[in-house]
Amino acid sequence: MPDHLDPFDTDDEENDDDPTPEELAQMRRATPVDAAAVDALILQNCTDSWRKVAMVVGTALTEFDTRFPHLPYVYMPVRIAALAASGALEVDGDPLAMRFSEVRLVAKV
C-alpha cells in the first residue's frame, strides 16, 4: 500500500461525498421521469435488512451510469433521502455520508 493512503485515518470526512457545484447543476436538470426511474433502481437494490448506503449505490452504479449518463452518482443518495422523507425507506444517518449510513425498505405492518 502506498505510504500516503491510510485506511484508519481518523480525520476522514464523513460527508466526503457532498455534491460539487457542477454535480448540483446536473441534478437540478433531472426530470421527474429521471427521479422516478432512479427511485425504482434504488428500491430494487434495497432489502428489509439494513445495508450501507454505499453498498446500495455501488450495486446500482453500473446500471445507473448506463441509463443516466447525464447525472452524477451522488444523485442516488439524494434520492434515498427523498425516498426516506416519503416513507418508502428508512435511513439511519446522513445518506450523503454513504459509508457511514444505512438504509432499508420500510417494514410492512
Side-chain angles (χ1 to χ4, degrees):
M1 174 176 355
D3 290 337
H4 66 281
L5 295 178
D6 182 2
F8 302 106
D9 184 3
T10 57
D11 292 329
D12 192 12
E13 294 285 332
E14 279 194 23
N15 289 341
D16 55 0
D17 294 319
D18 281 348
T20 66
E22 180 182 344
E23 290 169 333
L24 287 169
Q26 290 171 319
M27 289 189 285
R28 284 187 191 103
R29 291 190 294 269
T31 67
V33 171
D34 288 334
V38 171
D39 290 355
L41 180 61
I42 290 165
L43 292 170
Q44 169 186 328
N45 285 282
C46 289
T47 68
D48 294 336
S49 300
W50 289 106
R51 296 178 78 189
K52 291 285 185 188
V53 171
M55 176 64 79
V56 172
V57 170
T59 303
L61 195 55
T62 300
E63 184 175 347
F64 177 84
D65 284 343
T66 301
R67 292 177 58 194
F68 309 100
H70 58 289
L71 294 173
Y73 78 92
V74 75
Y75 187 60
M76 283 192 281
V78 169
R79 293 307 307 160
I80 287 172
L83 287 165
S86 76
L89 291 175
E90 288 183 75
V91 175
D92 183 22
D94 177 1
L96 287 173
M98 293 189 288
R99 296 174 294 142
F100 304 96
S101 56
E102 296 184 326
V103 63
R104 70 178 175 185
L105 296 171
V106 171
K108 302 226 184 331
V109 185

